Amino acid sequence: MDPEGGHVHGIGVSLPQADARAKTEGTFPYASDLWAEGLLWAAILRSPHPHARIVSIDTSGATEMPGVRAVVTHADVPGASTYGRRVADRPVFAGELVRHHGEAIAAVAADHPDTARLAAAAIAVQYEVLEPVTDPEAAFAAEPLHPDGNLIRHIPLRFGDPDAAGEVVVEGLYRIGRQDTATVGAEAALAVPRPDGGVEIYTASTDPHTDRDLAAACFGLPPEQVKVVVTGVPGATGDREDPGFQIPLGLLALRTGCPVKLTATREESFLGHAHRHPTLLRYRHHADAEGRLVKVEAQILLDAGAYADSSSESLAAAVSFACGPYVVPHAFVEGWAVRTNNPPSGHVRGEGAMQVCAAYEAQMDKLAGKLGLDPVDLRMRNVLATGDILPIGQTVTCPAPVAELLAAVRDFPLPELPMDAPEEDWLLPGGPDGAGEPGAVRRGVGYALGMVHMLGAEGTDEVSTATVRVHDGVATVICAAVDTGSGFSTLARQIVQETLGIDEVHVASVDTDQPPAGPATHGRHTWVSGGAVERAAKMVRTQLLQPLAHTFGMSTELLQINDGRITSYDGVLSTTVAETLEGKELWATAQCRPHPTEPLDDSGQGDAFVGLAFCAIRAVVDVDVELGTVRVVEMAVAQDVGRVLNPAQLATRIEAGVTQGVGAALTENLRTSRGLVRHPDLTGYALPTALDAPDIRIVKLIEERDVVAPFGAKPASAVPVVTSPAAVASAVRAATGRPVNRLPIRPQAAVVTA
């Protein structure tokens, strides 16, 4: 409420999320909470080997167990035997070959979850263990791991003169680890058979229509006989629910005629769903004596794991942004994505862009050191701006205030040194009561610039459909855009409130009976789905105002809606929206589709992206140079946001993105040994806690609206994820003088010997 008692709503207001109270009180309906009459429980048998030939599968031990209702293997898949959101190369169940640790072999439905787990364990599988290919460099010469071969995609980017050379050259080899999405809440789903022979799947999908189509193909059913209902999504930083959980459930429900539920353990999630691509990067930067970049040469190798998933798109982003938000006259980049017997890789927030950011920013630090320049000054001499050309040949037409972002974090006051406080109050690296000595602690300040693309790329048809319906003074938005924590549901309410002057706006739950809205990635729903809601709301606004305009002999453009009142430009007409809507039902459906893009050609050239977003981060760290422990003291963030739609939500998204990036920089690495996942749990996989989160200072938000985007807004959370690991690594380099060429940063990389 505002001070005078009126309602505050609309674009630019910190409207709270509608489901915030339910989530905090524990009443929000997650898939793991669902129940149905006659419910059966599922369990999945997974391979203990990363690479093996399946000699035989004996399910008799499971089928003969009391309480077991069905067992399904590859032989029981009635439709397509493989699936994949981008490339259909992943089997529902391994039938001949196992290609990664934890691959699904069979699924069981039983009347009790313990019975289901025991039955899955009773299935006897005879394996011929094969030598796994776990080194992505070895995958080029290895025997094919898949009928499609080991090479998923190769992008050779060629831009400028290959003979160009600079007076100063620096080189580096960098490795980025395997980050897990570590989603809040268990992955879970419930499959319910339908009277028409179809099935309904209730799950926290982030792309329900694609999941429906994949499942229908495997079930051998038309899409209209399969319905995906999106339950409460706890949050997502990538593809939330693996279809490899959903499809076996649907098969079991169809086989038994009963509802079947699966709640995955954290171990199953680590083994089954996709992770960030581990990446090997080799770089050579050329610059002139003044520090201006002349040429960048790079080789980028993405480990896709056993299946392709989104590796092609991730590689395109990595190659396209390999030089960062800098002007580079000549660039030559080779990018590959290959299959191995490692865990599967796929879409994780900032995929591709995060890995190369860590490498090119390390190169900029090296270059500054070799030239004897301040790292910020070197970056300032090379930053990208609107009108410059990317190495893929695309002109930057959107706002690109990179220099202003960098200046903002540079000029922000540094935090006080701990020496100003009593020694017993110092926060040492390693946490309270750490083993370190204050005299071994060194402070470092580092900088990084990052960029991401908005929406899909390389010719992806981005479209979303939304309906706005008004009845009895209440508005309802129907759109299949899944709110994964991005705040889309809140944004949709704000759009309708501002356009129609209606306080009470509801956003309908999502299912596949609605027209598709596409996946919840790359800020799509803020742009495409938000744009569809805005267009539909404006159509309803015209329906609302036309009778009034006709009565008073004026056009609808001369009427405005403010604070729930409709007024004319001359003040003759003044009435309330509620009075005008009385007894009426209005509705409209609209689509939003941004301008098309094109695939990269054989030289890595093309207008591949709809738009770009940028970020600058200054990291301040304290490093115990004897123990190698690191504490991130502060992250100062300046971001190119286009337009602030909801200040509170925007700040939350940026802070969450920075924290995820800090995890990638310091702790998060799903480790494997010869393809076997080590410690697939939240004890062995170290997520940053609240105690690890630094002070995050949002020092500047630049609102230069992108004229081609609805509302002019840009995605908020991916670009700080991309930028913050590089900034932390830069700060550790500044504190220790060590090269720091691997993420997450190992303690030995931060130790300084006398």
Side-chain angles (χ1 to χ4, degrees):
M1 302 287 285
D2 68 16
E4 297 180 358
H7 292 281
V8 177
H9 56 219
I11 300 297
V13 175
S14 292
L15 188 71
Q17 290 187 223
D19 58 11
R21 181 162 186 167
K23 285 183 175 178
T24 55
E25 291 179 347
T27 58
F28 191 70
Y30 297 116
S32 55
D33 300 322
L34 296 178
W35 187 264
E37 189 69 30
L39 182 70
L40 302 178
W41 298 86
I44 296 178
L45 174 67
R46 298 183 178 277
S47 168
H49 307 292
H51 195 202
R53 191 177 308 280
I54 297 176
V55 178
S56 64
I57 303 175
D58 182 2
T59 62
S60 59
T63 56
E64 294 170 2
M65 191 174 292
V68 172
R69 301 287 293 275
V71 179
V72 291
T73 68
H74 70 281
D76 302 301
V77 180
S81 60
T82 59
Y83 69 94
R85 285 200 172 110
R86 284 84 179 177
V87 178
D89 65 342
R90 187 171 183 174
V92 177
F93 298 111
E96 298 179 359
L97 285 174
V98 167
R99 297 187 177 92
H100 72 89
H101 179 208
E103 185 159 13
I105 306 294
V108 176
D111 55 13
H112 192 278
D114 290 343
T115 304
R117 286 190 287 268
L118 290 170
I123 298 172
V125 183
Q126 184 179 351
Y127 298 98
E128 176 191 342
V129 179
L130 304 174
E131 185 69 19
V133 177
T134 58
D135 181 353
E137 290 187 285
F140 290 99
E143 290 294 317
L145 302 174
H146 191 276
D148 295 340
N150 294 347
L151 179 63
I152 295 170
R153 188 177 186 184
H154 171 220
I155 303 177
L157 187 150
R158 304 286 182 264
F159 182 72
D161 180 4
D163 297 324
E167 299 170 70
V168 180
V169 178
V170 295
E171 298 183 358
L173 174 66
Y174 306 95
R175 295 181 184 274
I176 310 299
R178 181 180 291 104
Q179 187 180 26
D180 188 77
T181 56
T183 48
V184 176
E187 291 181 83
L190 170 68
V192 180
R194 292 171 23 154
D196 64 357
V199 65
E200 293 184 357
I201 300 172
Y202 296 79
T203 188
S205 170
T206 59
D207 188 3
H209 287 83
T210 298
D211 285 352
R212 176 202 63 185
D213 294 344
L214 294 178
C218 295
F219 301 156
L221 296 173
E224 56 268 21
Q225 282 191 269
V226 178
K227 180 178 179 179
V228 173
V229 179
V230 179
T231 59
V233 179
T237 60
D239 291 331
R240 165 73 206 188
E241 307 296 74
D242 179 10
F245 293 109
Q246 304 164 24
I247 296 173
L249 276 185
L251 292 173
L252 290 169
L254 291 168
R255 172 68 68 89
T256 62
C258 298
V260 184
K261 179 179 176 179
L262 172 68
T263 300
T265 64
R266 182 59 67 174
E267 178 178 349
E268 285 185 294
S269 290
F270 273 118
L271 296 178
H273 68 208
H275 315 87
R276 189 183 301 281
H277 291 80
T279 307
L280 177 66
L281 309 102
R282 292 182 175 90
Y283 267 80
R284 182 184 294 125
H285 275 55
H286 298 248
D288 63 21
E290 285 73 42
R292 290 181 178 83
L293 293 173
V294 174
K295 183 170 71 172
V296 172
E297 300 170 279
Q299 295 178 333
I300 302 167
L301 178 57
L302 269 59
D303 181 353
Y307 300 108
D309 202 80
S310 64
S311 296
S312 180
E313 293 87 341
S314 298
L315 183 65
V319 169
S320 299
F321 303 143
C323 301
Y326 300 106
V327 177
V328 179
H330 312 282
F332 296 85
V333 182
E334 296 279 353
W336 302 271
V338 296
R339 291 182 175 88
T340 65
N341 293 122
N342 289 321
S345 302
H347 168 65
V348 181
R349 185 188 288 163
E351 70 272 16
M354 180 275 222
Q355 293 94 319
V356 295
C357 182
Y360 66 66
E361 287 296 72
Q363 288 288 102
M364 296 300 281
D365 283 344
K366 279 188 178 182
L367 197 55
K370 193 163 186 177
L371 288 165
L373 294 174
D374 179 84
V376 175
D377 290 343
L378 175 70
R379 287 169 168 84
M380 277 292 190
R381 296 180 190 191
N382 293 282
V383 291
L384 198 72
T386 303
D388 287 328
I389 299 176
L390 298 174
I392 61 172
Q394 180 172 346
T395 301
V396 178
T397 57
C398 66
V402 185
E404 190 177 348
L405 296 172
L406 182 55
V409 296
R410 176 198 62 195
D411 297 339
F412 188 70
L414 287 165
E416 293 183 357
L417 290 169
M419 287 71 173
D420 299 328
E423 185 172 317
E424 59 269 19
D425 294 335
W426 286 8
L427 287 174
L428 297 176
D433 302 319
E437 294 293 334
V441 176
R442 297 183 189 173
R443 175 155 290 188
V445 179
Y447 295 84
L449 297 173
M451 61 191 297
V452 298
H453 65 90
M454 297 182 282
L455 313 184
E458 292 195 280
T460 303
D461 182 20
E462 296 286 5
V463 62
S464 182
T465 304
T467 297
V468 174
R469 187 185 305 274
V470 179
H471 181 63
D472 289 338
V474 177
T476 302
V477 177
I478 302 169
C479 182
V482 179
D483 190 338
T484 61
S486 63
F488 170 75
S489 297
T490 307
L491 174 61
R493 291 163 56 212
Q494 290 177 279
I495 293 168
V496 174
Q497 286 172 342
E498 179 160 294
T499 306
L500 297 178
I502 296 174
D503 282 332
E504 191 172 353
V505 181
H506 302 294
V507 179
S509 56
V510 175
D511 61 53
T512 51
D513 286 346
Q514 302 162 7
T521 58
H522 304 299
R524 286 189 69 264
H525 289 323
T526 298
W527 182 321
V528 186
S529 298
V533 172
E534 182 188 39
R535 292 181 183 184
K538 285 182 175 179
M539 292 166 67
V540 172
R541 183 181 186 277
T542 299
Q543 296 173 22
L544 174 66
L545 298 181
Q546 270 181 338
L548 290 172
H550 179 74
T551 300
F552 286 85
M554 61 180 68
S555 69
T556 56
E557 287 75 15
L558 298 177
L559 300 178
Q560 58 184 1
I561 300 176
N562 285 311
D563 296 327
R565 296 195 66 84
I566 302 171
T567 57
S568 62
Y569 75 103
D570 55 8
V572 172
L573 170 63
S574 180
T575 185
T576 65
V577 171
E579 290 173 351
T580 308
L581 280 172
E582 190 172 355
K584 294 181 180 178
E585 181 175 354
L586 308 175
W587 68 274
T589 298
Q591 285 189 336
C592 179
R593 176 181 272 118
H595 65 80
T597 57
E598 62 188 25
L600 298 176
D601 64 18
D602 293 339
S603 297
Q605 302 295 294
D607 288 346
F609 306 116
V610 175
L612 305 168
F614 305 91
C615 179
I617 293 181
R618 185 194 67 196
V620 178
V621 304
D622 284 345
V623 182
D624 186 318
V625 296
E626 292 179 349
L627 300 177
T629 51
V630 179
R631 183 175 79 89
V632 182
V633 177
E634 180 185 90
M635 301 288 275
V637 185
Q639 193 161 320
D640 155 46
V641 298
R643 183 185 177 189
V644 177
L645 304 178
N646 185 313
Q649 283 192 172
L650 176 62
T652 300
R653 298 287 284 169
I654 293 172
E655 290 167 0
V658 170
T659 305
Q660 184 180 1
V662 169
L666 296 180
T667 62
E668 294 188 51
N669 188 20
L670 188 65
R671 295 172 294 169
T672 60
S673 176
R674 295 182 55 77
L676 293 173
V677 178
R678 298 169 57 190
H679 308 298
D681 52 53
L682 291 179
T683 301
Y685 184 82
L687 282 171
T689 68
L691 293 176
D692 302 304
D695 287 337
I696 299 171
R697 311 293 186 189
I698 301 174
V699 303
K700 190 163 192 174
L701 299 176
I702 296 180
E703 294 188 80
E704 292 185 29
R705 299 187 186 184
D706 190 335
V707 295
V708 301
F711 329 111
K714 293 188 176 186
S717 57
V719 69
V721 175
V722 165
T723 314
S724 48
V728 171
S730 177
V732 174
R733 278 191 289 271
T736 64
R738 300 293 304 278
V740 188
N741 56 6
R742 183 189 293 261
L743 294 181
I745 301 168
R746 296 176 173 181
Q748 55 266 39
V751 171
V752 178
T753 56

